[in-house]
């Protein structure tokens, strides 16, 4: 997962506003990805988001908002066994969804899903289990919301880490969270307290059938207490808050470490008298008990020409603190660096939005000047790779998103991003870091409705990396509506069997298919 060319450590993931960052490594960011049936919407902030969300929102943030629980006027319990799926590489999956209502006093939903496969090549099999629980407890004013999730993944990691020749790697991960939140205050002054906990566990085995050769086990815990406040005025709004967190890791490789973080943030939004021009200056201050204090200001400006056209611009400073892997990891070829400094960047963006009944269009130009980028370097071939703050990296880019509503049920969506990276390195003979992001990325999606029951989506994905290697992948998704709350689907991915690679030269799957039934509660 990345935004505008950043790495997996530089994008922050949230679930209902709760941060899901992993202090061991950003590799585990998506371990708590929710089934689509639970998701109401996905909010994406591109560019600097540190003044809003704090550390690690270096290139942006993604907030997954779960669906609200339905309210019933009677006691009720329902269970739905659904989503049987079958596909290439012996893919198989299902989902069990249940919900309970005790009139207006208590509502809850519990979901379990499982997916597994033999893998698309040697030692890429996987088995994933996921649990999700959400409840609302009725109070005199606003409900108390309790949510939690747990996932366990077991998978062969052929070439995922180390080098492509390491074909027998294996990994098991666990991730879980538990959170409680509510809404307090009055119409003009709102308080949103959140208390939540995230846990991670990662077991890595270099040779799957012989763990004694090399094995790592990491366990992480992080507890957050977040108070956010909103004061509403006639033509402005003040948001401010405090975020406290305590994190710890216990690892046979990285050691045992603790960190306490205090963050203060504020953002003030106001408009001119004609409501055309808006300003939103803000700042964030964070102190890390084992590192230092950082101050990050930013500002957003918007101008409405009319109801259809909006111009916007923003400026911000952002940062990412090193993960514990960056700081302390050690093996026969690599060594961490406990003296690493956080990565810093200054970002600027200017853009335009246009919208009418049939067209939605957004386009922007952005720059990011990064310093202290963490790289793994060495001076001779005999030395180990060592994590070092060595690079400055300037990134310029352009992106656009276009939606054309051909008719009420047919549409064409297009998204394009162009990136140009310029790196500055001195006094280094060997560098592991290679700028090989997607310089050109074009995604198109054509949605067609053939009848009241049949819909078809055609997807095209084009990418060209900085080294000029490119790929074009075509996917197809055909749906047949079985009822108001269920449909049968056939997905065919990589229709023309394109050969292409992801990070670390990992080959992606060739042509494959998946069929199944998706069902929702009413």
């Amino acid at each position: 997962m990345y935004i505008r060319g950043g790495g997996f450590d530089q994008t922050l993931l949230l679930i209902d506003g709760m941060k899901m960052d992993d202090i061991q490594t950003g590799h585990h960011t998506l371990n708590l990805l929710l089934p689509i049936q639970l998701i109401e919407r996905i909010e994406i902030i591109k560019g600097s988001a540190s003044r809003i969300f704090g550390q690690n929102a270096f290139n942006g943030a993604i907030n997954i908002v779960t669906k609200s629980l339905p309210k019933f006027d009677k006691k009720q319990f329902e269970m739905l066994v659904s989503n049987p799926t079958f596909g290439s590489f012996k893919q198989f999956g299902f989902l069990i969804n249940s919900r309970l209502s005790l009139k207006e006093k208590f509502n809850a939903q519990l979901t379990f899903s499982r997916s597994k496969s033999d893998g698309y090549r040697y030692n890429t099999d996987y088995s994933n289990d996921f649990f999700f629980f959400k409840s609302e407890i009725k109070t005199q004013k606003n409900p108390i919301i309790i949510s939690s999730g747990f996932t366990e993944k077991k998978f062969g990691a052929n070439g995922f880490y180390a080098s492509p020749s390491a074909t027998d790697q294996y990994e098991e991960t666990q991730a879980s969270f538990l959170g409680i939140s509510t809404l307090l205050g009055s119409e003009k002054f709102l308080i949103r307290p959140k208390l939540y906990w995230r846990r991670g566990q990662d077991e890595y085995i270099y040779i799957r059938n012989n763990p004694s050769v090399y094995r790592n086990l990491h366990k992480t815990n992080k507890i957050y207490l977040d108070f956010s406040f909103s004061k509403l005025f006639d033509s402005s709004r003040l948001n401010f808050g405090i975020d406290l967190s305590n994190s710890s890791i216990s690892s046979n490789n990285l050691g045992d470490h603790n960190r306490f973080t205090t963050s203060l943030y504020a953002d003030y939004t106001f408009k001119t008298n004609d409501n055309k021009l808006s300003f939103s200056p803000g700042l964030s201050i964070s102190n890390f008990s084992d590192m230092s204090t950082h101050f990050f200001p930013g500002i957003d400006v918007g101008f409405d020409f009319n109801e259809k056209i909006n111009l916007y611009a923003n400026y911000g400073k952002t940062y990412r603190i090193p993960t514990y892997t960056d700081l302390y990891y050690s093996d026969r070829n690599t060594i961490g660096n406990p003296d690493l400094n956080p990565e810093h960047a200054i970002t600027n963006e200017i853009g335009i939005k246009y919208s009418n009944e049939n067209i939605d269009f957004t386009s922007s130009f952005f720059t990011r000047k990064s310093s202290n980028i963490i790289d793994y370097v060495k001076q001779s071939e005999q030395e180990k790779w060592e994590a070092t703050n060595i690079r400055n990296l300037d990134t310029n880019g352009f992106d656009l998103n276009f939606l054309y509503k051909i008719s009420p049920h047919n549409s064409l969506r297009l998204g394009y991003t162009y990136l140009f990276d310029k790196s500055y390195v001195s006094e280094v003979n060997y560098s592991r870091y290679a700028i090989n992001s997607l310089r050109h990325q074009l995604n198109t999606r054509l949605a067609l409705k053939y009848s009241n029951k049949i819909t078809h989506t055609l997807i095209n994905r084009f990418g060209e990396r900085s080294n000029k290697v490119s790929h074009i992948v075509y996917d197809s998704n055909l749906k047949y509506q079985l009822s108001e709350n269920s449909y049968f689907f056939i997905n065919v991915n990589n229709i023309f069997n394109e050969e292409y690679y992801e990070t670390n030269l990992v080959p992606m799957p060739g042509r494959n298919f998946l069929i199944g039934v998706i069902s929702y509660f009413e």
Side-chain angles (χ1 to χ4, degrees):
M1 181 182 70
Y2 66 89
I3 294 176
R4 291 178 172 173
F8 47 77
D9 284 317
Q10 296 174 331
T11 301
L12 180 65
L13 178 69
L14 304 96
I15 297 177
D16 290 333
M18 296 181 289
K19 300 172 186 177
M20 295 293 117
D21 56 307
D22 191 290
I23 58 176
Q24 177 204 338
T25 173
H27 279 293
H28 304 317
T29 298
L30 290 177
N31 280 358
L32 282 164
L33 195 61
L34 304 179
I36 191 172
Q37 291 89 338
L38 303 176
I39 298 174
E40 177 68 31
R41 66 183 184 276
I42 298 176
E43 302 168 341
I44 301 175
I45 297 179
K46 296 181 179 181
S48 171
S50 288
R51 86 170 193 265
I52 302 173
F53 297 113
Q55 59 147 328
N56 291 6
F58 193 85
N59 290 324
I62 298 174
N63 182 33
I64 299 175
V65 180
T66 61
K67 291 181 177 179
S68 300
L69 298 178
K71 295 177 174 57
F72 301 97
D73 57 3
K74 61 180 180 179
K75 295 181 180 180
Q76 186 168 327
F77 175 78
E78 296 177 302
M79 178 176 287
L80 178 67
V81 180
S82 65
N83 298 25
T85 56
F86 307 88
S88 305
F89 322 121
K90 296 186 179 179
Q91 294 180 80
F92 170 72
F94 67 90
L95 181 143
I96 301 175
N97 212 352
S98 61
R99 62 188 186 188
L100 171 68
S101 176
L102 301 179
K103 293 186 177 181
E104 297 182 354
K105 296 181 180 179
F106 178 79
N107 292 306
Q109 178 170 318
L110 176 64
T111 302
F112 169 75
S113 69
R114 168 169 290 181
S115 61
K116 60 188 304 183
S117 169
D118 285 352
Y120 65 97
R121 62 189 181 117
Y122 170 73
N123 195 33
T124 57
D125 58 295
Y126 65 83
S127 175
N128 300 333
D129 288 341
F130 181 82
F131 292 87
F132 179 77
F133 173 79
K134 185 175 183 179
S135 66
E136 292 184 0
I137 301 173
K138 178 72 173 179
T139 66
Q140 290 183 348
K141 293 186 177 181
N142 294 299
I144 297 173
I145 299 175
I146 300 174
S147 58
S148 64
F150 171 82
T151 182
E152 182 175 54
K153 298 184 177 183
K154 303 177 181 180
F155 55 94
N158 179 351
F160 288 8
Y161 315 108
S163 69
S165 62
T167 59
D168 290 301
Q169 300 171 92
Y170 176 75
E171 192 164 12
E172 293 186 7
T173 66
Q174 293 180 359
S176 53
F177 75 94
L178 172 64
I180 180 171
S181 62
T182 190
L183 179 64
L184 306 173
S186 61
E187 183 178 348
K188 293 287 187 177
F189 185 69
L190 303 175
I191 306 172
R192 297 179 178 87
K194 289 194 291 284
L195 174 66
Y196 56 103
W197 161 73
R198 188 196 188 281
R199 179 186 182 274
Q201 179 173 306
D202 175 26
E203 181 182 28
Y204 167 80
I205 298 172
Y206 183 68
I207 298 179
R208 183 170 186 166
N209 296 322
N210 191 0
S212 62
V213 173
Y214 188 82
R215 172 183 175 271
N216 286 332
L217 179 63
H218 319 283
K219 297 179 181 180
T220 61
N221 286 277
K222 194 168 185 178
I223 298 175
Y224 303 80
L225 178 61
D226 182 4
F227 284 94
S228 63
F229 305 86
S230 295
K231 175 62 177 176
L232 305 179
F233 303 95
D234 291 339
S235 59
S236 62
R237 182 180 71 251
L238 174 64
N239 297 320
F240 61 98
I242 181 171
D243 185 337
L244 307 174
S245 66
N246 187 75
S247 57
S248 63
I249 184 170
S250 177
S251 166
N252 68 328
N253 185 301
L254 307 177
D256 297 343
H257 306 278
N258 289 274
R259 174 186 297 144
F260 188 84
T261 305
T262 303
S263 296
L264 302 172
Y265 54 91
D267 190 87
Y268 182 62
T269 301
F270 62 96
K271 292 186 176 183
T272 55
N273 291 334
D274 58 4
N275 283 329
K276 287 184 174 293
L277 185 62
S278 64
F279 296 89
S280 183
L283 58 88
S284 172
I285 302 173
S286 296
N287 173 264
F288 304 92
S289 61
D290 58 345
M291 300 191 77
S292 54
T293 300
H294 301 274
F295 171 75
F296 296 92
I299 185 171
D300 293 274
V301 180
F303 180 76
D304 294 327
F305 273 104
N306 50 47
E307 293 181 355
K308 297 180 179 180
I309 301 175
N310 169 265
L311 290 178
Y312 65 93
N314 58 67
Y315 161 88
K317 295 183 69 176
T318 186
Y319 68 109
R320 178 186 81 86
I321 63 171
T323 65
Y324 282 119
T325 297
D326 295 329
L327 294 169
Y328 302 112
Y329 185 77
S330 176
D331 63 22
R332 66 186 69 181
N333 298 313
T334 307
I335 186 171
N337 183 352
D339 297 321
L340 288 173
N341 293 314
E343 298 178 338
H344 288 254
I346 296 176
T347 67
N348 299 276
E349 180 180 8
I350 184 170
I352 183 172
K353 297 179 181 179
Y354 174 82
S355 179
N356 65 23
E357 292 182 358
N358 297 317
I359 295 175
D360 287 325
F361 174 81
T362 303
S363 181
S364 66
F365 172 78
F366 55 89
T367 66
R368 182 173 63 244
K369 293 184 177 294
S370 307
S371 59
N372 284 339
I373 295 297
I374 297 171
D375 195 358
Y376 287 81
V377 301
K378 59 184 179 180
Q379 298 300 331
S380 67
E381 292 186 3
Q382 292 73 32
E383 294 180 357
K384 290 185 176 183
W385 296 105
E386 183 175 4
T388 309
N389 291 113
I390 199 65
R391 287 184 178 269
N392 292 337
L393 180 64
D394 291 352
T395 301
N396 297 319
F398 165 81
D399 61 16
L400 66 86
N401 290 280
F402 174 79
L403 171 64
Y404 176 57
K405 300 172 184 176
I406 304 170
S407 68
H409 303 291
N410 300 278
S411 64
L412 173 65
R413 187 182 296 272
L414 181 149
Y416 172 74
T417 300
Y418 168 80
L419 294 174
F420 177 74
D421 293 318
K422 187 174 183 180
S423 181
Y424 305 91
V425 186
S426 60
E427 300 179 357
V428 172
N429 292 331
Y430 297 92
S431 169
R432 178 185 286 180
Y433 183 85
I435 301 172
N436 197 22
S437 57
L438 286 170
R439 175 167 290 187
H440 298 279
Q441 186 174 12
L442 174 65
N443 296 322
T444 60
R445 179 185 295 263
L446 179 63
L448 303 171
K449 187 169 185 178
Y450 299 137
S451 69
N452 290 333
K453 292 183 176 293
I454 301 175
T455 59
H456 192 192
T457 302
L458 297 168
I459 301 168
N460 165 255
R461 294 177 285 126
F462 168 79
E464 181 181 292
R465 296 191 177 276
S466 301
N467 60 5
K468 303 298 184 180
V469 174
S470 64
H471 63 265
I472 303 178
V473 178
Y474 295 88
D475 302 327
S476 169
N477 173 242
L478 188 65
K479 296 180 181 179
Y480 180 82
Q481 200 76 29
L482 298 173
S483 68
E484 184 178 351
N485 302 303
S486 66
Y487 61 84
F488 170 79
F489 71 89
I490 302 176
N491 289 348
V492 182
N493 302 311
N494 197 357
I495 296 172
F496 298 108
N497 212 31
E498 177 82 355
E499 293 185 7
Y500 67 109
Y501 294 82
E502 264 298 344
T503 305
N504 202 34
L505 298 178
V506 176
M508 299 304 291
R511 183 187 304 111
N512 63 93
F513 73 91
L514 187 69
I515 63 174
V517 175
I518 300 293
S519 300
Y520 296 85
F521 276 126
E522 294 183 3

